Amino acid sequence: IQHPEMHPMTETDINKFLEAAKQGSYYALFYTYLFTGMRRSEVLALRWSDVDLLGMQISVSRSMQYLNKVKNHVSFKEPKSKKSKRLIALSPSTVFVLEEHRKAQERMRESLEIMPMTENDLVFSHWDGSPLLPDSITHAWVKLVRKCGLEGIRLHDARHTHATIMLKQGVHPKIVQERLG
């Protein structure tokens, strides 16, 4: 089995990427993805009940499974492994981004006069609360990476970027491994 080469982003790359992401609708998702090290399926399965903004942590308790062959069927299941069920500490900046994202979601629903949000709503969803499709997120990532001149950095490389940041900050490798599940 050949594994693709990892291409973690530098701090300069991250700043360039996030600045460009502010222009689109996936800024909060990509920010969370980069600064938590979660898998795509885990981020897309997050409900607001999994996010404790006051306690500054996310509880990873499920992942999204997308079945293209069953007419875009989305289901939620247990995470990839037992170690994948975990609590992830959030940085103050990630909490701020998520708070702003929630306020924007609430304003959108209010302006469209649809049901108010509940704790079971997805953190990252379409305006009507329906799930985002994994391939849409990957395509948006690729498009943004190209726009920033960061060719070759895959969405999965965000997990490696997060691990690299933690290791540079002196976090013990075992803790990094536990965080990534």
Side-chain angles (χ1 to χ4, degrees):
I1 298 174
Q2 283 190 333
H3 297 283
E5 188 177 335
M6 294 182 291
H7 298 284
M9 297 167 114
T10 65
E11 289 177 38
T12 303
D13 295 342
I14 293 169
N15 290 331
K16 183 190 286 189
F17 178 81
L18 289 174
E19 196 57 41
K22 284 181 182 177
Q23 313 308 312
S25 56
Y26 296 128
Y27 174 73
L29 187 149
F30 291 152
Y31 196 100
T32 303
Y33 198 74
L34 278 163
F35 291 102
T36 63
M38 294 171 69
R39 293 176 179 86
R40 179 181 70 175
S41 62
E42 295 168 343
V43 170
L44 293 177
L46 271 181
R47 297 166 292 201
W48 282 109
S49 60
D50 300 321
V51 180
D52 179 359
L53 295 173
L54 204 53
M56 299 177 66
Q57 63 185 7
I58 286 177
S59 172
V60 179
S61 61
R62 65 186 197 156
S63 66
M64 176 193 278
Q65 183 175 14
Y66 172 66
L67 303 170
N68 192 22
K69 294 180 177 162
V70 189
K71 188 136 181 160
N72 296 336
H73 178 73
V74 171
S75 64
F76 299 96
K77 61 178 186 156
E78 293 284 314
K80 188 175 180 179
S81 68
K82 283 185 180 181
K83 288 183 180 179
S84 295
K85 275 191 166 186
R86 62 203 186 279
L87 286 177
I88 297 176
L90 298 174
S91 68
S93 63
T94 306
V95 169
F96 177 77
V97 167
L98 288 170
E99 286 173 338
E100 293 300 307
H101 177 66
R102 182 168 181 136
K103 288 176 191 173
Q105 279 183 323
E106 289 170 341
R107 284 191 304 270
M108 174 67 77
R109 286 196 175 195
E110 203 174 284
S111 71
L112 295 173
E113 297 179 357
I114 56 178
M115 286 184 47
M117 288 177 47
T118 70
E119 289 302 302
N120 284 323
D121 283 329
L122 294 171
V123 173
F124 303 108
S125 64
H126 291 288
W127 61 270
D128 62 356
S130 62
L132 297 171
L133 299 181
D135 287 347
S136 300
I137 300 309
T138 300
H139 292 304
W141 176 276
V142 169
K143 189 175 178 182
L144 195 54
V145 161
R146 286 183 183 149
K147 179 181 176 183
C148 295
L150 303 172
E151 297 283 331
I153 297 178
R154 304 165 301 139
L155 181 62
H156 191 72
D157 290 330
R159 281 175 54 81
H160 303 294
T161 297
H162 181 68
T164 301
I165 290 168
M166 290 179 67
L167 291 169
K168 281 182 180 177
Q169 292 176 342
V171 177
H172 192 279
K174 185 175 181 176
I175 294 172
V176 172
Q177 187 177 17
E178 287 172 3
R179 174 139 178 171
L180 296 178

